[in-house]
Amino acid sequence: MSSLRESLKQLKDALKKTDTDSADKRDEGRVFSVHTKHTSETLESTRKLIEKDPRNRDLLDWFAFMLYSNEHFAEAIDIYRRLLEQDASSIEHLYYLGCCLYRTARTEEAVTRWQEAIKRDPMGLYGRKAREKVEQVYERDYEAKLLQDE
């Protein structure tokens, strides 16, 4: 349990450090998020807590983001899918599932998840973030390919 507390403290400290740094980015209309790396011990202790309480949404949500932040995308995908099975309406989980899928080179699936987030909440935070991701993917991946094919 102390490892979870330590993880929460690390996140809180990271947010404090970046709060002033991110003010300019927020003013520019950019989306900002904090990704804190966690130790393998923290990940393992959280995994054990989930084994004891596998349907705890808050713990699963925290663990999924910990995995995402540590670039354990395949495992994060599994957790985000579990979360969506419990509550299919979670735009945040759709968004992060898309991010994980994209990082594992599953671009089509990622875009599908992001488009679903956009459709469900086009003006919400994660709907807007998903729109940005889709636009980036099309600019970077598809337009570049079209130019190469010409």
Side-chain angles (χ1 to χ4, degrees):
M1 190 71 163
S2 64
S3 293
L4 181 59
R5 264 191 223 118
E6 181 60 31
S7 295
L8 291 170
K9 183 184 178 310
Q10 288 174 4
L11 179 60
K12 186 177 179 181
D13 291 344
L15 287 170
K16 281 182 193 175
K17 287 179 196 172
T18 58
D19 191 39
T20 55
D21 296 340
S22 65
D24 293 334
K25 293 179 182 173
R26 279 193 299 256
D27 291 341
E28 295 172 8
R30 294 185 187 160
V31 177
F32 182 77
S33 60
V34 176
H35 303 274
T36 302
K37 296 284 184 177
H38 301 277
T39 65
S40 57
E41 292 83 15
T42 302
L43 290 171
E44 191 54 37
S45 66
T46 307
R47 189 176 281 111
K48 287 178 183 177
L49 289 172
I50 289 173
E51 287 173 7
K52 293 177 184 176
D53 191 5
R55 296 198 49 83
N56 183 325
R57 278 192 62 73
D58 292 332
L59 189 56
L60 284 169
D61 180 47
W62 175 246
F63 188 52
F65 194 74
M66 288 172 68
L67 292 167
Y68 172 78
S69 297
N70 280 45
E71 299 181 4
H72 294 263
F73 301 117
E75 191 174 0
I77 287 169
D78 292 339
I79 301 296
Y80 280 121
R81 288 181 196 249
R82 282 174 60 184
L83 285 162
L84 286 164
E85 285 174 9
Q86 289 182 15
D87 179 10
S89 67
S90 175
I91 309 304
E92 177 182 357
H93 296 147
L94 279 172
Y95 170 77
Y96 282 111
L97 175 58
C99 292
C100 293
L101 289 165
Y102 184 75
R103 296 293 297 271
T104 56
R106 294 154 71 179
T107 305
E108 300 284 328
E109 286 180 81
V111 169
T112 299
R113 295 298 175 245
W114 289 328
Q115 287 173 330
E116 191 175 340
I118 295 165
K119 181 180 176 182
R120 290 184 184 186
D121 191 18
M123 300 311 291
L125 174 64
Y126 289 101
R128 291 190 322 266
K129 288 174 78 167
R131 185 181 322 282
E132 290 176 12
K133 292 289 188 184
V134 169
E135 289 170 1
Q136 289 172 359
V137 166
Y138 279 111
E139 286 175 17
R140 183 176 40 237
D141 297 346
Y142 294 118
E143 288 181 18
K145 184 173 179 357
L146 290 174
L147 291 173
Q148 288 176 348
D149 292 342
E150 288 182 348

